[in-house]
Every structure is written in C-alpha cells, then in structure tokens.
Amino acid sequence: MPQRMPDPGSESAAPPQIRYALRLQQAVRALDLLRQELPANTPAAQYVHVGFATLGRLEGALRAAHLLPPPGRGGEGRPIS
C-alpha cells in the first residue's frame, strides 16, 4: 500500500528536529498544568518535579545527539533545563 505524503503545512511534514522539539514542549505544558492543579508537598507533586528533571535530561541528550535545533530556533523557545 503506498504511503500518503504529509500535508506541507502539517506537523508530520516538519523535520524530525522540529517534531521532537514540539513533543518536548507538549510534555512540558502537560507537566506544568499538573503542577498547577496538584496540591503541593504530595507524592504526585514530587513526581511532577521528577518529570521536569527527566525532560531536562532528555532535552540535553537530544541536543548532544543533534536531534534538536539549537535553543531559540525552530519554534521550541527556551530550553527546559
């Protein structure tokens, strides 16, 4: 079965670096919403904190492997860490 070409303006048409940056942004936004909604000083809030640290390490590993654009380029904004 032939593969369908992505729409030129769609996210799937973006280069992998941009898609990875967008996925990281989505994960950060989700964690930030959880942080705002969860009561402080609970195990759940601590896991959100761990999630941010883990995303920061993931971001560093992706940048080291040149799988993310440099900070401030490609629409990903500021670094997580």
Side-chain angles (χ1 to χ4, degrees):
M1 175 181 252
Q3 287 187 336
R4 209 176 105 217
M5 294 298 293
D7 296 328
S10 75
E11 184 180 307
S12 61
Q17 289 181 323
I18 302 302
R19 287 196 316 268
Y20 300 155
L22 290 171
R23 294 290 177 253
L24 277 173
Q25 270 187 338
Q26 291 169 341
V28 168
R29 283 189 206 118
L31 282 174
D32 193 42
L33 288 172
L34 282 171
R35 179 174 51 190
Q36 293 172 24
E37 293 178 14
L38 292 171
N41 301 320
T42 63
Q46 291 173 351
Y47 280 113
V48 169
H49 178 74
V50 170
F52 274 113
T54 302
L55 285 177
R57 288 192 298 274
L58 174 61
E59 177 191 31
L62 289 170
R63 285 199 197 286
H66 304 288
L67 295 174
L68 284 180
R73 296 190 46 158
E76 96 284 359
R78 63 181 171 80
I80 295 168
S81 49

